[in-house]
Amino acid sequence: MPYRRLPTTDKARLRAMDAALNATEDRDSGKLAFSKSQLFDLKNIKSNFENHLKQYEFDLKTESEKSGQYKFAFEKARLYVSHFIQVLYMNIEREELKEDVLSYYGLSDLDGKIPLLNAEQEVLEWGNRIIDGEQKRMQRGGSPIYNPSIALVKVKVEDFREAAIFQQNLKRNTLRSYEKMQQLRKTTNDFISQLWTEIEENVGDGSPEQKRQRAQEYGLVYVFRRNEKKKLRAQGMQVDLLFEFS
């Protein structure tokens, strides 16, 4: 026997609800296989699902589109922080600065190596250390380092900080929309299951095949299990699936 299969994708859920609504267009309300209250709920649930799905898709698209700007700001900030540290090391190597100035920047224990700058937090933390360290050194009479200047480093780090905050907000929006959609997917499937049960109980009399045929006009989906398909085909029978909501 074929079994009833609930939708597994958002498009399938919308198609299932559309099919039930379309079935009401050519039928009097008294001849429907489900109640007026179910029809009212169907319209509201479909509208609510569509609206939240559009919001989720919008949030997802916006986050994806803005991620390019975030990555660009990240690479620029990492480049300028790294270059400043390299120039600082070269100044020490040329003996234009004493090695003890590294303590201003938190670089004393790195043995002349560039710190890890692979993650957002690493770039922001080292950016702040470099900016603060250069300001402290200059306040004690030190000459500013150029190419890049600390002012330019600060601009790039602040640009990245703003981009990171903005991207985090976008991620939160997307996560909030996703969690809402997860809840709606469950409640919508629960409603569709309830609606389909009511339809099956009210499609009229006849053989199981005839009742399934009428139920499919309301969007119900019936599928055969794989072993049942093989058995039917072996008997020379056609496997009849009028709807395929996947």
Side-chain angles (χ1 to χ4, degrees):
M1 290 290 292
Y3 68 96
R4 196 176 75 189
R5 188 181 69 183
L6 285 170
T8 57
T9 67
D10 293 333
K11 288 183 178 179
R13 292 178 184 95
L14 289 173
R15 284 200 299 267
M17 291 187 283
D18 279 333
L21 284 172
N22 291 337
T24 68
E25 294 179 358
D26 300 325
R27 292 177 173 86
D28 295 334
S29 59
K31 296 181 180 180
L32 285 178
F34 55 89
S35 65
K36 291 182 179 179
S37 62
Q38 283 283 58
L39 177 59
F40 177 79
D41 290 341
L42 172 60
K43 292 178 179 178
N44 286 337
I45 289 171
K46 178 178 179 290
S47 176
N48 188 46
F49 189 88
E50 280 181 317
N51 291 337
H52 280 90
L53 179 59
K54 288 178 182 177
Q55 183 63 50
Y56 171 59
E57 290 174 341
F58 173 80
D59 290 339
L60 197 63
K61 181 181 178 181
T62 302
E63 181 187 347
S64 177
E65 289 176 345
K66 298 299 183 182
S67 66
Q69 298 177 16
Y70 167 84
K71 291 177 182 176
F72 179 80
F74 171 80
E75 291 298 336
K76 281 292 184 182
R78 179 169 66 174
L79 183 68
Y80 274 80
V81 171
S82 175
H83 281 188
F84 185 91
I85 295 173
Q86 292 177 52
V87 172
L88 175 62
Y89 285 157
M90 285 189 288
N91 273 267
I92 294 172
E93 188 176 349
R94 293 193 299 262
E95 297 183 351
E96 296 172 6
L97 292 174
K98 293 183 179 180
E99 190 173 351
D100 60 5
V101 301
L102 292 175
S103 61
Y104 290 124
Y105 309 91
L107 295 167
S108 300
D109 299 328
L110 294 183
D111 297 324
K113 297 178 182 178
I114 303 297
L116 289 176
L117 299 171
N118 297 325
E120 174 183 303
Q121 196 59 33
E122 290 170 344
V123 172
L124 291 175
E125 286 182 0
W126 279 108
N128 289 337
R129 289 184 186 183
I130 297 306
I131 293 167
D132 292 343
E134 180 70 352
Q135 289 174 345
K136 289 177 182 177
R137 189 181 65 81
M138 291 172 61
Q139 287 171 359
R140 288 165 173 76
S143 300
I145 291 175
Y146 293 102
N147 297 322
S149 68
I150 199 63
L152 193 51
V153 173
K154 186 174 183 179
V155 167
K156 300 303 179 182
V157 171
E158 287 303 314
D159 285 348
F160 174 55
R161 189 190 313 279
E162 291 177 5
I165 292 172
F166 184 65
Q167 196 68 17
Q168 285 297 323
N169 288 335
L170 293 181
K171 286 182 179 179
R172 279 194 288 270
N173 291 342
T174 302
L175 179 60
R176 190 181 303 114
S177 296
Y178 171 77
E179 290 174 345
K180 180 63 178 179
M181 282 306 304
Q182 286 293 81
Q183 296 172 0
L184 279 178
R185 285 163 183 153
K186 183 182 183 306
T187 57
T188 300
N189 266 27
D190 290 344
F191 171 78
I192 292 173
S193 178
Q194 181 185 20
L195 177 66
W196 283 4
T197 297
E198 183 173 337
I199 290 170
E200 286 180 321
E201 292 173 350
N202 292 281
V203 290
D205 300 325
S207 67
E209 292 78 8
Q210 290 172 331
K211 294 176 72 174
R212 284 197 297 270
Q213 178 71 31
R214 289 194 290 268
Q216 286 179 121
E217 295 174 3
Y218 287 87
L220 275 75
V221 178
Y222 295 99
V223 297
F224 287 92
R225 294 175 177 83
R226 185 175 300 178
N227 62 332
E228 292 175 331
K229 288 183 181 181
K230 290 181 179 179
K231 184 177 179 180
L232 289 172
R233 291 193 180 103
Q235 296 172 352
M237 298 177 64
Q238 182 179 359
V239 179
D240 184 20
L241 294 177
L242 297 183
F243 290 82
E244 185 65 23
F245 290 160
S246 59

